[in-house]
Amino acid sequence: MTMSLLNVLPYDREFYQEHLASFLPDTFVDCHTHIWLDEQNHFGEEIAGRSCSWPNMVANDNSVEDLIETNRLLFPGKTVQSVLYGQPMATIDLKKNNRYVAESANAHGFAALYLVHPTQPAEVVEREVLANPCFRGLKVYLQFAAPYIPSNEIRIFDFLTPEHLALADKHGWVVQLHIARPRRLADPLNYVQLREIEEKYPNVKLIVAHLGRAYADEDVGDGLDYLKDTKRMMWDFTANTNGNVIRRVLEMFGSDRLIYGSDFPIFRMKARRTVENGFYINEIPQGSLGDVSSDPHMREIPYPEAEKITFFIYEEMLACKRACEALHLTKDDVEKIFLRNSVKLFGLQV
């Protein structure tokens, strides 16, 4: 951790004070954070096409100390309780990364999720999770689906196995799920399988991460309508700056089923998001992340316009604020979204 971890400028402070300081509860929970050390990476090869390249440009690693410092710098006057898990890359040493997550969670009084590979036997996963009380369940990821499956054809059950779901159902664990496939939440295979999980595994505490990756209005499709009568699945709006989608989720499921997550370290970058023809583009200050020309989701903004680009996490929170205001939600609703829903879900003491 260094003093130069984040470059917090006067404009950023003004943005936070004007838009977010009074909106956020004094204490809130971040349900979606990645920690890992660089030495725990580089143990394999990434599979082409399974993830965007831009998140990997933000940080080589993210120690728990860096995470705590990020929250201290970005949210003055607030207390943030983080839920930790590892970095879901094909190159990560899962055993070392999970051990580091458990050690960090225990040292700082945080909850954690166990980063699980679909090939792990259920009895091994059960033993590992139960051995560390900080673990409240499982974090699964599409990168771990079998390499022979084409990236655009990955199904939920290719990386979240029935055996692991049965285990989570047995213990009432949280399962945090980042869905795959190019159409995201709009893909019928995704939303049918989401509903199948809720119906077949009633004790699983399912979190649909990133609002089903619906970063553009077009990413929703019929997904929310198909899932509108579900009763339990939770939705985190991590890394999602689309106020329209946040509003639709709130309208359909209420403030009891939406939770906040940051996706740190990724969303500590400075950026804003625009959507063109259903395709999201992150606009970043010119030169802030090196050469981004190979990623179609990235666009550099020259100075002086770039001076008005603040932290991505502020943009995410502001989108949620605007959705709450559009629906005339109360402070009690906001406290549910940012604090109480996660406290209940993860069994936290705050």
Side-chain angles (χ1 to χ4, degrees):
M1 183 177 69
T2 67
M3 292 301 294
S4 60
L5 180 66
L6 296 176
N7 186 20
V8 185
L9 301 175
Y11 176 75
D12 304 313
R13 284 279 174 255
E14 293 168 6
F15 190 100
Y16 173 77
Q17 289 298 329
E18 178 182 352
H19 297 292
L20 300 174
S22 62
F23 170 69
L24 296 171
D26 290 339
T27 298
F28 57 93
V29 176
D30 180 351
C31 79
H32 194 131
T33 66
H34 304 276
I35 64 167
W36 77 103
L37 302 179
D38 191 48
E39 65 197 47
Q40 296 160 3
N41 199 2
H42 321 297
F43 290 89
E45 293 185 3
E46 292 288 1
I47 302 172
R50 291 205 170 173
S51 62
C52 298
S53 63
W54 66 266
N56 298 326
M57 300 175 183
V58 180
N60 290 326
D61 61 12
N62 190 43
S63 67
V64 68
E65 292 82 10
D66 279 359
L67 173 65
I68 292 170
E69 177 70 354
T70 297
N71 282 316
R72 187 190 73 82
L73 290 170
L74 292 179
F75 308 116
K78 308 294 183 182
T79 300
V80 184
Q81 178 83 278
S82 297
V83 177
L84 310 177
Y85 41 85
Q87 178 69 339
M89 300 185 295
T91 57
I92 205 76
D93 185 319
L94 278 175
K95 187 173 182 179
K96 288 182 179 179
N97 197 196
N98 276 320
R99 186 185 306 125
Y100 175 65
V101 167
E103 291 170 352
S104 299
N106 289 325
H108 295 278
F110 292 156
L113 294 177
Y114 181 85
L115 184 59
V116 64
H117 196 283
T119 61
Q120 286 181 277
E123 59 269 22
V124 172
V125 176
E126 185 174 40
R127 183 173 65 246
E128 291 282 324
V129 174
L130 295 181
N132 288 282
C134 65
F135 286 130
R136 304 299 204 270
L138 308 178
K139 168 64 179 178
V140 300
Y141 199 64
L142 60 96
Q143 281 279 20
F144 300 140
Y148 64 81
I149 303 173
S151 296
N152 289 346
E153 297 177 18
I154 296 173
R155 303 162 300 175
I156 291 172
F157 299 134
D158 290 325
F159 59 97
L160 173 55
T161 67
E163 292 79 11
H164 292 165
L165 278 165
L167 188 61
D169 188 60
K170 172 184 174 182
H171 293 286
W173 287 344
V174 172
V175 173
Q176 192 165 55
L177 173 62
H178 174 128
I179 61 175
R181 308 178 71 83
R183 293 186 63 201
R184 307 167 188 262
L185 185 60
D187 192 309
L189 191 57
N190 277 331
Y191 57 71
V192 169
Q193 291 188 334
L194 286 172
R195 185 165 180 164
E196 181 180 345
I197 291 170
E198 169 148 324
E199 293 175 351
K200 191 172 182 179
Y201 305 97
N203 296 316
V204 170
K205 300 171 182 174
L206 182 68
I207 302 173
V208 184
H210 314 293
L211 305 183
R213 297 174 62 236
Y215 304 124
D217 294 348
E218 293 86 347
D219 294 331
V220 175
D222 296 326
L224 291 179
D225 288 329
Y226 184 83
L227 297 168
K228 65 183 178 183
D229 59 348
T230 57
K231 305 299 182 185
R232 292 180 300 278
M233 67 178 66
M234 304 292 289
W235 300 79
D236 83 37
F237 61 98
T238 302
N240 199 316
T241 65
N242 189 319
N244 291 333
V245 178
I246 297 173
R247 177 182 52 78
R248 290 184 64 184
V249 170
L250 282 167
E251 285 176 325
M252 196 154 292
F253 304 108
S255 60
D256 290 327
R257 292 174 54 193
L258 185 70
I259 52 177
Y260 160 72
S262 69
D263 218 359
F264 284 152
I266 299 169
F267 255 47
R268 76 185 192 200
M269 66 191 282
K270 288 193 172 181
R272 65 193 184 199
R273 182 170 288 162
T274 187
V275 175
E276 297 176 359
N277 299 317
F279 189 85
Y280 79 82
I281 298 170
N282 300 324
E283 297 182 332
I284 63 170
Q286 191 171 44
S288 61
L289 288 182
D291 184 6
V292 299
S293 60
S294 63
D295 194 319
H297 287 287
M298 302 296 279
R299 175 183 295 160
E300 291 191 303
I301 302 299
Y303 289 89
E305 181 183 352
E307 294 174 356
K308 299 303 181 182
I309 297 178
T310 190
F311 296 101
F312 223 170
I313 191 62
Y314 287 175
E315 297 285 355
E316 176 192 320
M317 290 174 155
L318 182 58
C320 181
K321 177 184 177 181
R322 287 171 172 163
C324 290
E325 289 176 341
L327 297 175
H328 307 289
L329 298 191
T330 65
K331 279 191 172 292
D332 184 68
D333 290 309
V334 174
E335 190 172 275
K336 288 180 182 179
I337 295 166
F338 282 89
L339 177 63
R340 300 207 311 268
N341 292 343
S342 284
V343 166
K344 180 179 178 181
L345 188 67
F346 293 97
L348 303 177
Q349 300 292 326
V350 295

